[in-house]
Amino acid sequence: MAATKSLFDTYRLGDIILANRIVMAPLTRNRAGADLVPSPLAVEYYRQRATAGLIITEATQISATAQGYQDTPGLFTQAQIEGWRKITDAVHGAGGHIFVQLWHVGRVSLRSLQPDGAAPLAPSALRANTKTYANNSFAEVDEPRALTLDEIPGIVDDFRQASANAILAGFDGVEIHGANGYLIDQFLRDGANKRTDAYGGSIENRTRFLKEVLQAVIGEIGAARTGLRLSPVTPANDVTDSDPQALFSHVMDVVESLHPVYVHMIEGATGGPRDIVPDFDFEALRARYSGAWMVNNGYDKAMAEEVVAAGKADLVAFGKAFISSPDAVERLRRGVAFNELDRDHLYGGGAKGYTDYPTLENAGA
Ligand SMILES: Cc1cc2nc3c(=O)[nH]c(=O)nc-3n(C[C@H](O)[C@H](O)[C@H](O)COP(=O)(O)O)c2cc1C
């Protein structure tokens, strides 16, 4: 019988060995500098958190049209690549590993954030009932325009190019953001996708965009460096689906056939109730895929230890814990509480609520 697995054991993910099974979840902080280049403060922020087995960066734009929030970083210009290189060097220098989350927001955007003030892009011209963060406050998103059939390959190629840029920037891999009601999730769900061409209608058609993005990214940088985040039942950003169990069963079959190195599953409503759809069967999804299974949403130490020991997950991602506690791994190890979250400084600003959280060590514990 195999020894019981622990959260604090190493884990082989593709070609890299993670120091433990604790992952820093992707966390948008709206602190990028001019031209959406990550700031020097971000270098310090990620370096402080490098004891995570794996860091997944904040969501990062693949192109100019991919942006939906103010001051979120990109990975489509030389300056952005060079900015990220400082971060990957810092994390690697501290013994950590880091993937970048590749993001296109689709309809969760404002004209004021789009090139030439154009309408945001989406599978269908349906405005989401959701807000975004711009001009230092929250605002209702604008009505999008539907992508034409001949524009779709260009967006797929932006994902491919961004993955190539990620390797140039020194990342260990990328996480494709297929979750939380952004562009890929908008294609998947029948509440947001009303297309009548090859990208809409049947479950197979709605999964086509994700499939093409996975193929393009895996073709560029390899399956061992490609992860995927999904959130089958989240209502985030106003996405709905008539049959998420059937949809995501098919998604997992496509994922298994292309075999990215991990699937990162948000269980429940992102940042909210885990049981928002009580009869949804996540274990059935996992049974269709043989790669690394990363879980997230509302985990504490006891829950995380239990799922890893039981073999129900290989990796556990923590979000808010890593905002407030750069040494979240050490706190989990010792069973010490995380620092309190400074909710007033999550989005935007400087060092306050970003790089100034104490560790046990510098608090003298
Ligand atoms: C401030 C903040 C920013 C977030 N930004 C992202 C993001 O960029 N990409 C993403 O996929 N999820 C994002 N999330 C969701 C988290 O990754 C995670 O799913 C959520 O916080 C639940 O995990 P937790 O209970 O451990 O905090 C964000 C959450 C918070 C609180």
Side-chain angles (χ1 to χ4, degrees), residues 113-308:
L113 291 167
Q114 291 291 310
D116 304 321
L121 302 174
S124 301
L126 291 173
R127 201 184 71 78
N129 182 18
T130 191
K131 290 184 172 155
T132 179
Y133 183 79
N135 301 316
N136 302 314
S137 66
F138 287 90
E140 299 286 341
V141 300
D142 281 330
E143 177 158 331
R145 122 177 128 68
L147 283 159
T148 62
L149 192 56
D150 62 358
E151 285 175 317
I152 294 177
I155 310 250
V156 172
D157 197 62
D158 289 338
F159 273 99
R160 181 200 60 73
Q161 182 63 55
S163 72
N165 294 348
I167 301 307
L168 290 174
F171 284 104
D172 297 296
V174 308
E175 176 175 285
I176 296 168
H177 196 345
N180 295 345
Y182 297 110
L183 184 63
I184 291 173
D185 209 14
Q186 290 158 30
F187 269 96
L188 290 174
R189 314 270 201 125
D190 60 14
N193 181 346
K194 303 291 183 191
R195 298 181 75 90
T196 54
D197 59 16
Y199 292 88
S202 67
I203 283 175
E204 191 179 25
N205 280 356
R206 282 183 275 129
T207 306
R208 191 176 310 280
F209 181 69
L210 168 61
K211 183 180 182 179
E212 291 179 353
V213 169
L214 274 170
Q215 285 170 328
V217 169
I218 288 173
E220 183 69 33
I221 65 170
R225 297 194 287 197
T226 305
L228 171 66
R229 193 171 216 212
L230 297 171
S231 55
V233 294
T234 199
N237 290 314
D238 195 26
V239 276
T240 56
D241 192 80
S242 56
D243 190 352
Q245 195 79 53
L247 169 61
F248 283 88
S249 295
H250 176 73
V251 166
M252 291 314 303
D253 291 347
V254 168
V255 167
E256 174 67 6
S257 72
L258 299 172
H259 217 75
V261 71
Y262 72 75
V263 167
H264 183 178
M265 195 55 74
I266 301 176
E267 299 163 329
T270 313
R274 291 176 50 80
D275 61 351
I276 184 161
V277 180
D279 59 353
F280 192 84
D281 189 349
F282 284 99
E283 287 185 19
L285 297 188
R286 194 201 176 181
R288 303 176 100 94
Y289 167 70
S290 55
W293 196 250
M294 184 189 301
V295 295
N296 167 251
N297 205 30
Y299 277 84
D300 61 17
K301 175 175 168 146
M303 289 163 69
E305 284 187 322
E306 190 190 312
V307 289
V308 169

Side-chain angles (χ1 to χ4, degrees), residues 25-29 58-59 101 175 177 180 229 266 270-271 296-299 317-321 323 346-347:
L27 296 158
T28 290
R29 307 301 308 276
E58 64 207 276
Q101 190 184 47
E175 176 175 285
H177 196 345
N180 295 345
R229 193 171 216 212
I266 301 176
T270 313
N296 167 251
N297 205 30
Y299 277 84
F318 291 81
K320 292 180 287 292
I323 295 179
L346 290 176
Y347 308 108

Side-chain angles (χ1 to χ4, degrees), residues 25-87:
L27 296 158
T28 290
R29 307 301 308 276
N30 308 84
R31 285 165 166 87
D35 301 322
L36 309 181
V37 175
S39 73
L41 215 48
V43 180
E44 178 61 7
Y45 167 76
Y46 283 111
R47 192 194 56 72
Q48 290 173 342
R49 287 156 178 77
T51 51
L54 179 67
I55 291 173
I56 303 166
T57 71
E58 64 207 276
T60 298
Q61 286 99 239
I62 59 166
S63 67
T65 64
Q67 188 178 0
Y69 299 76
Q70 84 178 44
D71 302 331
T72 49
L75 188 49
F76 55 92
T77 70
Q78 190 57 35
Q80 292 162 356
I81 293 170
E82 286 164 16
W84 280 114
R85 169 56 87 169
K86 298 187 179 110
I87 291 171

